[in-house]
Amino acid sequence: MSDDHSHLDPIAVRVRALESLLVDKGYVKADALDALVDTYENRVGPRNGAQVVARAWVDPEYREWLQRDANAAIASLGFVGRQGEHMVVLENTADTHHLVVCTLCSCYPWPVLGLPPGWYKSAAYRSRAVIDPKGVLTDFGVSLPEGADIRVWDSTAEVRYMVLPMRPAGTEDMSEDALVELVTRDSMIGTGLALEPTGSAL
Amino acid sequence: MTQPDPRLCDLPPLPANHGDEPVFAAPWQAQLFAMTTALNEAGHFAWSEWAEQFGAELARTPQATGQCVSDHYFGCWLVAFESFVEQRGLAAAGQLSELQRRWDAAARATPHGEPIVLPAD
């Protein structure tokens, strides 16, 4: 390009217009916006949920509390915040596998899982999870035992679901901290299973 | 053999990347997200009201060929958010387009490499 002045692409112009409007009118503060971005890019993520799952695996009382009042049980570990206002935890068993979707947009339990991955936001996932959950699980490399029932849960702005995956076999002697490492983001959405322990994790 | 469900024929495949990826594909997406969340937190609207408007925009606008999920998703977010702030009276009619014009002019008046700032009007 030969000209030496700056360019903002049309989208950047629109976002800057919104931001300057909202900041100038005092509806939002610029440093509060930066703090929010930092929080969701760097501080809140699926590791929070993994700690909830590992605690539930080792502590039957906590597990029962999580089923009865997920918000309180999760908050007791320090994970509170917006978009987790009414949490419901769905426990996977040998017979029943839960899968979470938001067909409307991408409602998701931010305090425990962070912000949703791209595929969760895609039209493909939002439609296919409901119509063809088994096919979706196959795409994710998940094969369930013969005859297992798949239940699909549609998150909304009011209710956010999180899956409690099954504890893998052979992990009876592992510490809670080591168990956290086996809990993947996908296993808490239902598009994955908890990882099998490896030699080094034991 | 059961017949294949005819609805399945039109379903697009899932995005190829199932692994970890950045939460935002570009800084503007993060800024947009933060503005929406901050306004909600300040009590300007209930999240369910926003989700309904955003969901309607997503349903109305199919992903373009070659467009990545994040660009489509936050592109719809942007369209929905612009009309949302106007409907809620947070922006007067025409105010956003006037600010867009001024930002574009400011960029053109700024030498390459220097920060772009909006001059007082």
Side-chain angles (χ1 to χ4, degrees):
Chain A
M1 288 208 289
S2 58
D3 50 356
D4 58 357
H5 60 74
S6 300
H7 290 273
L8 288 174
D9 67 54
I11 286 206
V13 164
R14 287 164 68 187
V15 171
R16 286 204 185 209
L18 279 162
E19 188 175 350
S20 54
L21 174 96
L22 297 174
V23 170
D24 285 352
K25 291 198 169 189
Y27 295 132
V28 300
K29 290 191 167 58
D31 56 355
L33 297 181
D34 293 342
L36 271 166
V37 170
D38 178 56
T39 295
Y40 283 100
E41 280 193 322
N42 303 314
R43 293 171 205 277
V44 181
R47 201 172 167 83
N48 291 2
Q51 289 175 255
V52 171
V53 169
R55 174 66 56 85
W57 281 349
V58 300
D59 181 346
E61 271 182 38
Y62 184 80
R63 185 194 198 98
E64 193 272 328
W65 187 19
L66 196 59
Q67 305 278 0
R68 184 163 37 82
D69 184 355
N71 287 64
I74 290 167
S76 75
L77 298 185
F79 309 135
V80 292
R82 56 188 81 77
Q83 306 302 314
E85 284 85 351
H86 187 68
M87 290 283 310
V88 172
V89 171
L90 309 160
E91 183 174 357
N92 279 349
T93 65
D95 301 327
T96 306
H97 182 90
H98 301 289
L99 179 68
V100 179
V101 64
C102 170
T103 57
L104 177 67
C105 44
S106 58
C107 298
Y108 194 72
W110 297 357
V112 278
L113 295 187
L115 295 180
W119 55 260
Y120 186 86
K121 299 181 283 199
S122 69
Y125 181 73
R126 290 186 289 114
S127 56
R128 284 192 55 202
V130 175
I131 300 169
D132 180 25
K134 198 163 187 222
V136 166
L137 289 181
T138 303
D139 278 4
F140 276 87
V142 176
S143 56
L144 298 175
E146 192 74 28
D149 190 22
I150 304 173
R151 292 197 193 155
V152 180
W153 300 79
D154 195 357
S155 281
T156 67
E158 282 88 20
V159 184
R160 308 296 168 105
Y161 299 102
M162 171 183 152
V163 175
L164 175 58
M166 287 176 69
R167 180 171 177 166
T171 59
E172 294 74 16
D173 298 330
M174 287 176 70
S175 70
E176 188 175 333
D177 284 349
L179 288 169
V180 168
E181 306 300 326
L182 303 181
V183 185
T184 63
R185 175 194 65 204
D186 290 4
S187 74
M188 295 180 281
I189 304 175
T191 53
L193 306 176
L195 303 174
E196 299 291 329
T198 60
S200 59
L202 284 169
Chain B
M1 269 298 281
T2 51
Q3 289 294 313
D5 186 332
R7 292 173 302 175
L8 295 184
C9 302
D10 298 329
L11 290 179
L14 288 169
N17 179 10
H18 291 178
D20 285 327
E21 55 185 290
V23 172
F24 304 109
W28 68 267
Q29 298 174 1
Q31 288 303 105
L32 188 58
F33 164 81
M35 284 188 274
T36 314
T37 310
L39 278 185
N40 168 239
E41 187 149 87
H44 290 285
F45 54 86
W47 195 262
S48 56
E49 298 170 302
W50 160 248
E52 193 175 317
Q53 180 129 349
F54 175 40
E57 182 61 36
L58 278 172
R60 185 160 48 231
T61 312
Q63 192 172 345
T65 310
Q67 188 181 34
C68 76
V69 167
S70 199
D71 283 350
H72 171 253
Y73 181 82
F74 283 104
C76 288
W77 187 310
L78 177 58
V79 171
F81 189 64
E82 283 173 337
S83 38
F84 199 63
V85 297
E86 287 182 345
Q87 283 166 25
R88 296 272 149 168
L90 302 173
Q95 208 169 5
L96 278 178
S97 48
E98 169 62 14
L99 274 166
Q100 289 168 6
R101 189 195 59 71
R102 287 175 55 206
W103 270 111
D104 189 51
R108 292 172 194 280
T110 303
H112 191 76
E114 289 185 18
I116 304 164
V117 290
L118 199 62
D121 56 353

